[in-house]
Amino acid sequence: MSTSPLFTPLQAGGLALRSRIAMAPLTRNRAPGALANARMATYYRQRANPETGAGLIITEATAISHQGQGYADVPGIWSAEQVQAWRAVTEAVHAEGGRIVMQLWHVGRVSHTSLQPGGGAPVAPSAIAAKTKTVLLVDGQAQFVETSMPRALALDELPGIVQDYRRAAANAIAAGFDGVEVHAANGYLIDQFLRRGSNQRSDAYGGSVENRARFLNEVMQAVAAEIGGARTGIRLSPVTPANDASDDQPQPLFEHVVRALAPLGLAYVHVIEGSTGGPREHQQGPTPFDYTALRQAYRQAGGQGAWMVNNGYDLPMAQQALADGADLVAFGRPFIANPDLGARLRQGGPFNSLDRATLYGGGDAGYLDYPALG
Ligand code: 8OZ
């Protein structure tokens, strides 16, 4: 049995966690009607025991509004019915002694007209299509389809979207969540504002680093004002090319972002290192991204939130990351295939392997039937 710091408690802002192991947010497309359901409650419950599972569960990305939807059968948190549906999940996790935060999501341009209110165009900082695909369900089968051409958001639409984030955070707390994580990664709406490749605005939300970070800052201030910074986290992915995200100067951009977050008293900052779900090396541009400098920029600005790292971690890498100053390690795909990943890490394995065919959409297979250790 390992006595690694990975298995020691952590107070992350207002989140009292029994281990440093987080379950990363994982889209599974099993929420028809944008409603959480009993199958999902079972799935999260299987992973919720803080001794055998995760010290902190982050839900799959959850749409803050109908406009924020970009994929078939992903859940939402904008209506009273959705709040009620999520209660089964938070109660199941809490019954195991676990902690769970909801990831708040607006996809921006990564959507399809068939998923948008009135069949309209998806919205984005600028009318630039993302060269990426989204998941639609056709006869119950996941199909990857090109995203639709977006329209640029008008300046006077932005306060309403900030308000949607605020309402979603309040709804998450009403549904029993311990907090929220704002999804500012992977080329979705907030990340589209941050990065030059998707933001060519000439108003106060485009151009300089300060301007491109303005939307993120407004969202974070609204959410923290609504539920408290100590119950709020954020996910960033400084160099991921996911969903056609690109920027030629990620280091100064993201150092600015974390410095601006420091005064909010966040529970944690969650950083995807490298390409989401892919290589950890920086694939764009000549210089490697310096994640240590990013953390130091946050700390030097007074940021005290826990520092959560993610992307392709195994046990030795996780232990090294904690030794190097990280506070939490988020595991994604390993948690799909191993409901008791915590127990398996503690004893050094073995680990079930992942079935990719059942990742997006479907029923219990590849969702509830991965075995725990006997
Ligand atoms: C995989 C498939 C669909 C969505 C992300 C929310 O990348 C996602 C996502 C991942 O953050």
PDB file of all heavy atoms in Angstrom, residues 52-90:
ATOM      1  N   THR A  52     -11.597   4.725  -2.184  1.00  0.00           N
ATOM      2  CA  THR A  52     -11.373   3.868  -3.352  1.00  0.00           C
ATOM      3  C   THR A  52     -11.494   4.616  -4.673  1.00  0.00           C
ATOM      4  O   THR A  52     -11.015   4.122  -5.701  1.00  0.00           O
ATOM      5  CB  THR A  52     -12.396   2.714  -3.365  1.00  0.00           C
ATOM      6  OG1 THR A  52     -13.722   3.279  -3.409  1.00  0.00           O
ATOM      7  CG2 THR A  52     -12.264   1.852  -2.129  1.00  0.00           C
ATOM      8  N   GLY A  53     -12.150   5.756  -4.655  1.00  0.00           N
ATOM      9  CA  GLY A  53     -12.390   6.504  -5.891  1.00  0.00           C
ATOM     10  C   GLY A  53     -11.673   7.839  -5.881  1.00  0.00           C
ATOM     11  O   GLY A  53     -10.465   7.898  -5.648  1.00  0.00           O
ATOM     12  N   ALA A  54     -12.430   8.902  -6.106  1.00  0.00           N
ATOM     13  CA  ALA A  54     -11.848  10.240  -6.229  1.00  0.00           C
ATOM     14  C   ALA A  54     -12.034  11.042  -4.944  1.00  0.00           C
ATOM     15  O   ALA A  54     -13.063  10.939  -4.286  1.00  0.00           O
ATOM     16  CB  ALA A  54     -12.510  10.988  -7.387  1.00  0.00           C
ATOM     17  N   GLY A  55     -11.041  11.868  -4.619  1.00  0.00           N
ATOM     18  CA  GLY A  55     -11.208  12.839  -3.538  1.00  0.00           C
ATOM     19  C   GLY A  55     -12.142  13.959  -3.961  1.00  0.00           C
ATOM     20  O   GLY A  55     -12.823  14.577  -3.138  1.00  0.00           O
ATOM     21  N   LEU A  56     -12.152  14.245  -5.263  1.00  0.00           N
ATOM     22  CA  LEU A  56     -13.044  15.257  -5.835  1.00  0.00           C
ATOM     23  C   LEU A  56     -13.490  14.769  -7.202  1.00  0.00           C
ATOM     24  O   LEU A  56     -12.655  14.383  -8.030  1.00  0.00           O
ATOM     25  CB  LEU A  56     -12.320  16.605  -6.002  1.00  0.00           C
ATOM     26  CG  LEU A  56     -13.156  17.706  -6.689  1.00  0.00           C
ATOM     27  CD1 LEU A  56     -14.338  18.128  -5.817  1.00  0.00           C
ATOM     28  CD2 LEU A  56     -12.287  18.916  -7.020  1.00  0.00           C
ATOM     29  N   ILE A  57     -14.805  14.772  -7.431  1.00  0.00           N
ATOM     30  CA  ILE A  57     -15.346  14.498  -8.771  1.00  0.00           C
ATOM     31  C   ILE A  57     -15.706  15.825  -9.417  1.00  0.00           C
ATOM     32  O   ILE A  57     -16.359  16.667  -8.801  1.00  0.00           O
ATOM     33  CB  ILE A  57     -16.604  13.603  -8.698  1.00  0.00           C
ATOM     34  CG1 ILE A  57     -16.226  12.201  -8.221  1.00  0.00           C
ATOM     35  CG2 ILE A  57     -17.298  13.543 -10.055  1.00  0.00           C
ATOM     36  CD1 ILE A  57     -17.431  11.284  -8.019  1.00  0.00           C
ATOM     37  N   ILE A  58     -15.275  15.989 -10.665  1.00  0.00           N
ATOM     38  CA  ILE A  58     -15.723  17.108 -11.493  1.00  0.00           C
ATOM     39  C   ILE A  58     -16.672  16.503 -12.518  1.00  0.00           C
ATOM     40  O   ILE A  58     -16.312  15.538 -13.210  1.00  0.00           O
ATOM     41  CB  ILE A  58     -14.530  17.796 -12.190  1.00  0.00           C
ATOM     42  CG1 ILE A  58     -13.477  18.223 -11.156  1.00  0.00           C
ATOM     43  CG2 ILE A  58     -15.005  19.000 -13.013  1.00  0.00           C
ATOM     44  CD1 ILE A  58     -12.094  18.457 -11.739  1.00  0.00           C
ATOM     45  N   THR A  59     -17.880  17.029 -12.619  1.00  0.00           N
ATOM     46  CA  THR A  59     -18.833  16.422 -13.553  1.00  0.00           C
ATOM     47  C   THR A  59     -18.382  16.624 -14.988  1.00  0.00           C
ATOM     48  O   THR A  59     -17.587  17.517 -15.301  1.00  0.00           O
ATOM     49  CB  THR A  59     -20.240  17.048 -13.467  1.00  0.00           C
ATOM     50  OG1 THR A  59     -20.180  18.400 -13.952  1.00  0.00           O
ATOM     51  CG2 THR A  59     -20.814  16.977 -12.069  1.00  0.00           C
ATOM     52  N   GLU A  60     -18.974  15.837 -15.852  1.00  0.00           N
ATOM     53  CA  GLU A  60     -18.924  16.096 -17.286  1.00  0.00           C
ATOM     54  C   GLU A  60     -19.375  17.537 -17.548  1.00  0.00           C
ATOM     55  O   GLU A  60     -20.151  18.111 -16.779  1.00  0.00           O
ATOM     56  CB  GLU A  60     -19.865  15.132 -17.977  1.00  0.00           C
ATOM     57  CG  GLU A  60     -21.326  15.280 -17.580  1.00  0.00           C
ATOM     58  CD  GLU A  60     -22.094  13.981 -17.753  1.00  0.00           C
ATOM     59  OE1 GLU A  60     -22.595  13.719 -18.855  1.00  0.00           O
ATOM     60  OE2 GLU A  60     -22.189  13.219 -16.755  1.00  0.00           O
ATOM     61  N   ALA A  61     -18.872  18.109 -18.625  1.00  0.00           N
ATOM     62  CA  ALA A  61     -19.232  19.487 -18.976  1.00  0.00           C
ATOM     63  C   ALA A  61     -20.749  19.601 -19.118  1.00  0.00           C
ATOM     64  O   ALA A  61     -21.388  18.758 -19.738  1.00  0.00           O
ATOM     65  CB  ALA A  61     -18.548  19.879 -20.284  1.00  0.00           C
ATOM     66  N   THR A  62     -21.305  20.666 -18.516  1.00  0.00           N
ATOM     67  CA  THR A  62     -22.762  20.819 -18.408  1.00  0.00           C
ATOM     68  C   THR A  62     -23.155  22.202 -18.901  1.00  0.00           C
ATOM     69  O   THR A  62     -22.638  23.224 -18.417  1.00  0.00           O
ATOM     70  CB  THR A  62     -23.178  20.604 -16.943  1.00  0.00           C
ATOM     71  OG1 THR A  62     -22.783  19.274 -16.560  1.00  0.00           O
ATOM     72  CG2 THR A  62     -24.669  20.746 -16.757  1.00  0.00           C
ATOM     73  N   ALA A  63     -24.069  22.240 -19.865  1.00  0.00           N
ATOM     74  CA  ALA A  63     -24.403  23.491 -20.549  1.00  0.00           C
ATOM     75  C   ALA A  63     -25.130  24.462 -19.620  1.00  0.00           C
ATOM     76  O   ALA A  63     -26.052  24.080 -18.905  1.00  0.00           O
ATOM     77  CB  ALA A  63     -25.257  23.207 -21.780  1.00  0.00           C
ATOM     78  N   ILE A  64     -24.702  25.726 -19.682  1.00  0.00           N
ATOM     79  CA  ILE A  64     -25.314  26.768 -18.850  1.00  0.00           C
ATOM     80  C   ILE A  64     -26.577  27.338 -19.479  1.00  0.00           C
ATOM     81  O   ILE A  64     -27.308  28.076 -18.825  1.00  0.00           O
ATOM     82  CB  ILE A  64     -24.325  27.932 -18.582  1.00  0.00           C
ATOM     83  CG1 ILE A  64     -23.894  28.590 -19.906  1.00  0.00           C
ATOM     84  CG2 ILE A  64     -23.135  27.440 -17.776  1.00  0.00           C
ATOM     85  CD1 ILE A  64     -23.294  29.960 -19.744  1.00  0.00           C
ATOM     86  N   SER A  65     -26.781  27.016 -20.757  1.00  0.00           N
ATOM     87  CA  SER A  65     -27.947  27.550 -21.476  1.00  0.00           C
ATOM     88  C   SER A  65     -28.149  26.679 -22.708  1.00  0.00           C
ATOM     89  O   SER A  65     -27.242  25.934 -23.117  1.00  0.00           O
ATOM     90  CB  SER A  65     -27.703  29.000 -21.913  1.00  0.00           C
ATOM     91  OG  SER A  65     -26.592  29.052 -22.807  1.00  0.00           O
ATOM     92  N   HIS A  66     -29.330  26.780 -23.318  1.00  0.00           N
ATOM     93  CA  HIS A  66     -29.565  26.053 -24.570  1.00  0.00           C
ATOM     94  C   HIS A  66     -28.536  26.486 -25.620  1.00  0.00           C
ATOM     95  O   HIS A  66     -27.977  25.676 -26.352  1.00  0.00           O
ATOM     96  CB  HIS A  66     -31.006  26.329 -25.029  1.00  0.00           C
ATOM     97  CG  HIS A  66     -31.452  25.521 -26.197  1.00  0.00           C
ATOM     98  ND1 HIS A  66     -32.725  25.555 -26.698  1.00  0.00           N
ATOM     99  CD2 HIS A  66     -30.788  24.653 -27.001  1.00  0.00           C
ATOM    100  CE1 HIS A  66     -32.823  24.752 -27.743  1.00  0.00           C
ATOM    101  NE2 HIS A  66     -31.655  24.193 -27.950  1.00  0.00           N
ATOM    102  N   GLN A  67     -28.254  27.787 -25.654  1.00  0.00           N
ATOM    103  CA  GLN A  67     -27.253  28.311 -26.600  1.00  0.00           C
ATOM    104  C   GLN A  67     -25.867  27.723 -26.353  1.00  0.00           C
ATOM    105  O   GLN A  67     -25.038  27.638 -27.253  1.00  0.00           O
ATOM    106  CB  GLN A  67     -27.202  29.836 -26.469  1.00  0.00           C
ATOM    107  CG  GLN A  67     -26.291  30.537 -27.424  1.00  0.00           C
ATOM    108  CD  GLN A  67     -26.037  31.961 -26.953  1.00  0.00           C
ATOM    109  OE1 GLN A  67     -25.372  32.200 -25.938  1.00  0.00           O
ATOM    110  NE2 GLN A  67     -26.586  32.914 -27.679  1.00  0.00           N
ATOM    111  N   GLY A  68     -25.606  27.329 -25.112  1.00  0.00           N
ATOM    112  CA  GLY A  68     -24.301  26.778 -24.751  1.00  0.00           C
ATOM    113  C   GLY A  68     -24.121  25.318 -25.133  1.00  0.00           C
ATOM    114  O   GLY A  68     -23.060  24.732 -24.890  1.00  0.00           O
ATOM    115  N   GLN A  69     -25.159  24.703 -25.719  1.00  0.00           N
ATOM    116  CA  GLN A  69     -25.121  23.283 -26.099  1.00  0.00           C
ATOM    117  C   GLN A  69     -24.371  23.081 -27.407  1.00  0.00           C
ATOM    118  O   GLN A  69     -24.617  23.806 -28.374  1.00  0.00           O
ATOM    119  CB  GLN A  69     -26.557  22.772 -26.338  1.00  0.00           C
ATOM    120  CG  GLN A  69     -27.374  22.551 -25.105  1.00  0.00           C
ATOM    121  CD  GLN A  69     -27.074  21.199 -24.478  1.00  0.00           C
ATOM    122  OE1 GLN A  69     -25.989  20.643 -24.672  1.00  0.00           O
ATOM    123  NE2 GLN A  69     -28.020  20.678 -23.729  1.00  0.00           N
ATOM    124  N   GLY A  70     -23.543  22.064 -27.463  1.00  0.00           N
ATOM    125  CA  GLY A  70     -22.855  21.779 -28.713  1.00  0.00           C
ATOM    126  C   GLY A  70     -22.789  20.323 -29.081  1.00  0.00           C
ATOM    127  O   GLY A  70     -22.207  19.970 -30.109  1.00  0.00           O
ATOM    128  N   TYR A  71     -23.345  19.475 -28.239  1.00  0.00           N
ATOM    129  CA  TYR A  71     -23.236  18.027 -28.479  1.00  0.00           C
ATOM    130  C   TYR A  71     -24.558  17.371 -28.097  1.00  0.00           C
ATOM    131  O   TYR A  71     -25.273  17.850 -27.209  1.00  0.00           O
ATOM    132  CB  TYR A  71     -22.129  17.408 -27.607  1.00  0.00           C
ATOM    133  CG  TYR A  71     -20.755  17.944 -27.876  1.00  0.00           C
ATOM    134  CD1 TYR A  71     -20.346  19.163 -27.347  1.00  0.00           C
ATOM    135  CD2 TYR A  71     -19.853  17.236 -28.662  1.00  0.00           C
ATOM    136  CE1 TYR A  71     -19.074  19.666 -27.595  1.00  0.00           C
ATOM    137  CE2 TYR A  71     -18.580  17.717 -28.913  1.00  0.00           C
ATOM    138  CZ  TYR A  71     -18.194  18.940 -28.376  1.00  0.00           C
ATOM    139  OH  TYR A  71     -16.947  19.426 -28.618  1.00  0.00           O
ATOM    140  N   ALA A  72     -24.841  16.270 -28.723  1.00  0.00           N
ATOM    141  CA  ALA A  72     -26.060  15.533 -28.402  1.00  0.00           C
ATOM    142  C   ALA A  72     -25.991  14.931 -27.007  1.00  0.00           C
ATOM    143  O   ALA A  72     -24.936  14.459 -26.570  1.00  0.00           O
ATOM    144  CB  ALA A  72     -26.260  14.410 -29.419  1.00  0.00           C
ATOM    145  N   ASP A  73     -27.112  14.973 -26.332  1.00  0.00           N
ATOM    146  CA  ASP A  73     -27.296  14.254 -25.062  1.00  0.00           C
ATOM    147  C   ASP A  73     -26.270  14.594 -23.988  1.00  0.00           C
ATOM    148  O   ASP A  73     -25.863  13.733 -23.198  1.00  0.00           O
ATOM    149  CB  ASP A  73     -27.337  12.731 -25.296  1.00  0.00           C
ATOM    150  CG  ASP A  73     -28.619  12.299 -26.007  1.00  0.00           C
ATOM    151  OD1 ASP A  73     -29.462  13.165 -26.299  1.00  0.00           O
ATOM    152  OD2 ASP A  73     -28.775  11.088 -26.261  1.00  0.00           O
ATOM    153  N   VAL A  74     -25.825  15.857 -23.968  1.00  0.00           N
ATOM    154  CA  VAL A  74     -25.041  16.324 -22.819  1.00  0.00           C
ATOM    155  C   VAL A  74     -26.000  17.056 -21.881  1.00  0.00           C
ATOM    156  O   VAL A  74     -27.011  17.604 -22.313  1.00  0.00           O
ATOM    157  CB  VAL A  74     -23.848  17.223 -23.238  1.00  0.00           C
ATOM    158  CG1 VAL A  74     -22.852  16.422 -24.065  1.00  0.00           C
ATOM    159  CG2 VAL A  74     -24.308  18.468 -23.985  1.00  0.00           C
ATOM    160  N   PRO A  75     -25.696  17.063 -20.587  1.00  0.00           N
ATOM    161  CA  PRO A  75     -26.650  17.625 -19.631  1.00  0.00           C
ATOM    162  C   PRO A  75     -26.607  19.149 -19.565  1.00  0.00           C
ATOM    163  O   PRO A  75     -25.645  19.769 -20.022  1.00  0.00           O
ATOM    164  CB  PRO A  75     -26.180  17.030 -18.294  1.00  0.00           C
ATOM    165  CG  PRO A  75     -24.721  16.781 -18.487  1.00  0.00           C
ATOM    166  CD  PRO A  75     -24.528  16.444 -19.931  1.00  0.00           C
ATOM    167  N   GLY A  76     -27.664  19.713 -18.985  1.00  0.00           N
ATOM    168  CA  GLY A  76     -27.743  21.161 -18.786  1.00  0.00           C
ATOM    169  C   GLY A  76     -28.023  21.500 -17.331  1.00  0.00           C
ATOM    170  O   GLY A  76     -28.292  20.616 -16.506  1.00  0.00           O
ATOM    171  N   ILE A  77     -27.923  22.800 -17.029  1.00  0.00           N
ATOM    172  CA  ILE A  77     -28.178  23.292 -15.664  1.00  0.00           C
ATOM    173  C   ILE A  77     -28.823  24.674 -15.716  1.00  0.00           C
ATOM    174  O   ILE A  77     -28.548  25.540 -14.888  1.00  0.00           O
ATOM    175  CB  ILE A  77     -26.889  23.220 -14.792  1.00  0.00           C
ATOM    176  CG1 ILE A  77     -27.155  23.507 -13.303  1.00  0.00           C
ATOM    177  CG2 ILE A  77     -25.783  24.118 -15.350  1.00  0.00           C
ATOM    178  CD1 ILE A  77     -27.953  22.473 -12.569  1.00  0.00           C
ATOM    179  N   TRP A  78     -29.722  24.872 -16.716  1.00  0.00           N
ATOM    180  CA  TRP A  78     -30.390  26.180 -16.804  1.00  0.00           C
ATOM    181  C   TRP A  78     -31.839  26.157 -16.346  1.00  0.00           C
ATOM    182  O   TRP A  78     -32.433  27.209 -16.165  1.00  0.00           O
ATOM    183  CB  TRP A  78     -30.257  26.770 -18.215  1.00  0.00           C
ATOM    184  CG  TRP A  78     -30.996  26.052 -19.304  1.00  0.00           C
ATOM    185  CD1 TRP A  78     -32.306  26.238 -19.659  1.00  0.00           C
ATOM    186  CD2 TRP A  78     -30.480  25.063 -20.195  1.00  0.00           C
ATOM    187  NE1 TRP A  78     -32.628  25.419 -20.715  1.00  0.00           N
ATOM    188  CE2 TRP A  78     -31.531  24.692 -21.069  1.00  0.00           C
ATOM    189  CE3 TRP A  78     -29.225  24.444 -20.371  1.00  0.00           C
ATOM    190  CZ2 TRP A  78     -31.373  23.734 -22.086  1.00  0.00           C
ATOM    191  CZ3 TRP A  78     -29.078  23.493 -21.376  1.00  0.00           C
ATOM    192  CH2 TRP A  78     -30.132  23.149 -22.213  1.00  0.00           C
ATOM    193  N   SER A  79     -32.420  24.958 -16.157  1.00  0.00           N
ATOM    194  CA  SER A  79     -33.845  24.920 -15.802  1.00  0.00           C
ATOM    195  C   SER A  79     -34.062  24.259 -14.444  1.00  0.00           C
ATOM    196  O   SER A  79     -33.213  23.511 -13.946  1.00  0.00           O
ATOM    197  CB  SER A  79     -34.624  24.133 -16.859  1.00  0.00           C
ATOM    198  OG  SER A  79     -34.374  22.739 -16.714  1.00  0.00           O
ATOM    199  N   ALA A  80     -35.248  24.518 -13.870  1.00  0.00           N
ATOM    200  CA  ALA A  80     -35.594  23.905 -12.577  1.00  0.00           C
ATOM    201  C   ALA A  80     -35.644  22.383 -12.698  1.00  0.00           C
ATOM    202  O   ALA A  80     -35.245  21.656 -11.772  1.00  0.00           O
ATOM    203  CB  ALA A  80     -36.934  24.450 -12.096  1.00  0.00           C
ATOM    204  N   GLU A  81     -36.117  21.888 -13.829  1.00  0.00           N
ATOM    205  CA  GLU A  81     -36.186  20.439 -14.051  1.00  0.00           C
ATOM    206  C   GLU A  81     -34.770  19.825 -14.057  1.00  0.00           C
ATOM    207  O   GLU A  81     -34.539  18.739 -13.511  1.00  0.00           O
ATOM    208  CB  GLU A  81     -36.897  20.179 -15.386  1.00  0.00           C
ATOM    209  CG  GLU A  81     -37.253  18.726 -15.625  1.00  0.00           C
ATOM    210  CD  GLU A  81     -37.806  18.486 -17.031  1.00  0.00           C
ATOM    211  OE1 GLU A  81     -37.816  19.427 -17.869  1.00  0.00           O
ATOM    212  OE2 GLU A  81     -38.210  17.335 -17.289  1.00  0.00           O
ATOM    213  N   GLN A  82     -33.838  20.537 -14.655  1.00  0.00           N
ATOM    214  CA  GLN A  82     -32.442  20.056 -14.672  1.00  0.00           C
ATOM    215  C   GLN A  82     -31.847  20.060 -13.269  1.00  0.00           C
ATOM    216  O   GLN A  82     -31.118  19.125 -12.897  1.00  0.00           O
ATOM    217  CB  GLN A  82     -31.604  20.912 -15.634  1.00  0.00           C
ATOM    218  CG  GLN A  82     -31.974  20.689 -17.099  1.00  0.00           C
ATOM    219  CD  GLN A  82     -31.458  21.791 -18.008  1.00  0.00           C
ATOM    220  OE1 GLN A  82     -30.965  22.826 -17.551  1.00  0.00           O
ATOM    221  NE2 GLN A  82     -31.596  21.586 -19.312  1.00  0.00           N
ATOM    222  N   VAL A  83     -32.134  21.091 -12.501  1.00  0.00           N
ATOM    223  CA  VAL A  83     -31.647  21.149 -11.112  1.00  0.00           C
ATOM    224  C   VAL A  83     -32.153  19.926 -10.353  1.00  0.00           C
ATOM    225  O   VAL A  83     -31.388  19.217  -9.672  1.00  0.00           O
ATOM    226  CB  VAL A  83     -32.103  22.451 -10.426  1.00  0.00           C
ATOM    227  CG1 VAL A  83     -31.807  22.410  -8.925  1.00  0.00           C
ATOM    228  CG2 VAL A  83     -31.431  23.660 -11.069  1.00  0.00           C
ATOM    229  N   GLN A  84     -33.447  19.674 -10.477  1.00  0.00           N
ATOM    230  CA  GLN A  84     -34.048  18.538  -9.781  1.00  0.00           C
ATOM    231  C   GLN A  84     -33.386  17.225 -10.208  1.00  0.00           C
ATOM    232  O   GLN A  84     -33.086  16.358  -9.380  1.00  0.00           O
ATOM    233  CB  GLN A  84     -35.554  18.524 -10.065  1.00  0.00           C
ATOM    234  CG  GLN A  84     -36.330  17.453  -9.340  1.00  0.00           C
ATOM    235  CD  GLN A  84     -36.180  17.541  -7.821  1.00  0.00           C
ATOM    236  OE1 GLN A  84     -36.012  18.627  -7.277  1.00  0.00           O
ATOM    237  NE2 GLN A  84     -36.193  16.392  -7.160  1.00  0.00           N
ATOM    238  N   ALA A  85     -33.136  17.068 -11.502  1.00  0.00           N
ATOM    239  CA  ALA A  85     -32.554  15.824 -12.020  1.00  0.00           C
ATOM    240  C   ALA A  85     -31.139  15.598 -11.453  1.00  0.00           C
ATOM    241  O   ALA A  85     -30.762  14.469 -11.136  1.00  0.00           O
ATOM    242  CB  ALA A  85     -32.516  15.865 -13.547  1.00  0.00           C
ATOM    243  N   TRP A  86     -30.375  16.660 -11.306  1.00  0.00           N
ATOM    244  CA  TRP A  86     -29.002  16.524 -10.792  1.00  0.00           C
ATOM    245  C   TRP A  86     -28.969  16.132  -9.316  1.00  0.00           C
ATOM    246  O   TRP A  86     -27.956  15.620  -8.824  1.00  0.00           O
ATOM    247  CB  TRP A  86     -28.217  17.819 -10.999  1.00  0.00           C
ATOM    248  CG  TRP A  86     -27.592  17.966 -12.360  1.00  0.00           C
ATOM    249  CD1 TRP A  86     -27.946  18.839 -13.346  1.00  0.00           C
ATOM    250  CD2 TRP A  86     -26.478  17.218 -12.882  1.00  0.00           C
ATOM    251  NE1 TRP A  86     -27.127  18.676 -14.444  1.00  0.00           N
ATOM    252  CE2 TRP A  86     -26.218  17.692 -14.181  1.00  0.00           C
ATOM    253  CE3 TRP A  86     -25.673  16.187 -12.372  1.00  0.00           C
ATOM    254  CZ2 TRP A  86     -25.195  17.179 -14.975  1.00  0.00           C
ATOM    255  CZ3 TRP A  86     -24.648  15.681 -13.165  1.00  0.00           C
ATOM    256  CH2 TRP A  86     -24.425  16.171 -14.450  1.00  0.00           C
ATOM    257  N   ARG A  87     -30.085  16.398  -8.573  1.00  0.00           N
ATOM    258  CA  ARG A  87     -30.065  16.076  -7.136  1.00  0.00           C
ATOM    259  C   ARG A  87     -29.766  14.614  -6.889  1.00  0.00           C
ATOM    260  O   ARG A  87     -29.093  14.260  -5.914  1.00  0.00           O
ATOM    261  CB  ARG A  87     -31.405  16.452  -6.491  1.00  0.00           C
ATOM    262  CG  ARG A  87     -31.517  17.934  -6.265  1.00  0.00           C
ATOM    263  CD  ARG A  87     -32.367  18.288  -5.052  1.00  0.00           C
ATOM    264  NE  ARG A  87     -32.390  19.747  -4.967  1.00  0.00           N
ATOM    265  CZ  ARG A  87     -33.365  20.502  -5.468  1.00  0.00           C
ATOM    266  NH1 ARG A  87     -34.431  19.945  -5.980  1.00  0.00           N
ATOM    267  NH2 ARG A  87     -33.274  21.806  -5.418  1.00  0.00           N
ATOM    268  N   ALA A  88     -30.256  13.735  -7.777  1.00  0.00           N
ATOM    269  CA  ALA A  88     -29.997  12.293  -7.599  1.00  0.00           C
ATOM    270  C   ALA A  88     -28.489  12.014  -7.642  1.00  0.00           C
ATOM    271  O   ALA A  88     -27.983  11.134  -6.931  1.00  0.00           O
ATOM    272  CB  ALA A  88     -30.720  11.491  -8.677  1.00  0.00           C
ATOM    273  N   VAL A  89     -27.775  12.766  -8.461  1.00  0.00           N
ATOM    274  CA  VAL A  89     -26.322  12.569  -8.580  1.00  0.00           C
ATOM    275  C   VAL A  89     -25.607  13.078  -7.326  1.00  0.00           C
ATOM    276  O   VAL A  89     -24.777  12.364  -6.733  1.00  0.00           O
ATOM    277  CB  VAL A  89     -25.782  13.284  -9.842  1.00  0.00           C
ATOM    278  CG1 VAL A  89     -24.255  13.245  -9.867  1.00  0.00           C
ATOM    279  CG2 VAL A  89     -26.360  12.647 -11.100  1.00  0.00           C
ATOM    280  N   THR A  90     -25.928  14.287  -6.901  1.00  0.00           N
ATOM    281  CA  THR A  90     -25.203  14.830  -5.741  1.00  0.00           C
ATOM    282  C   THR A  90     -25.521  14.024  -4.481  1.00  0.00           C
ATOM    283  O   THR A  90     -24.639  13.796  -3.652  1.00  0.00           O
ATOM    284  CB  THR A  90     -25.521  16.324  -5.525  1.00  0.00           C
ATOM    285  OG1 THR A  90     -26.924  16.502  -5.318  1.00  0.00           O
ATOM    286  CG2 THR A  90     -25.076  17.162  -6.717  1.00  0.00           C
TER     287      THR A  90
END
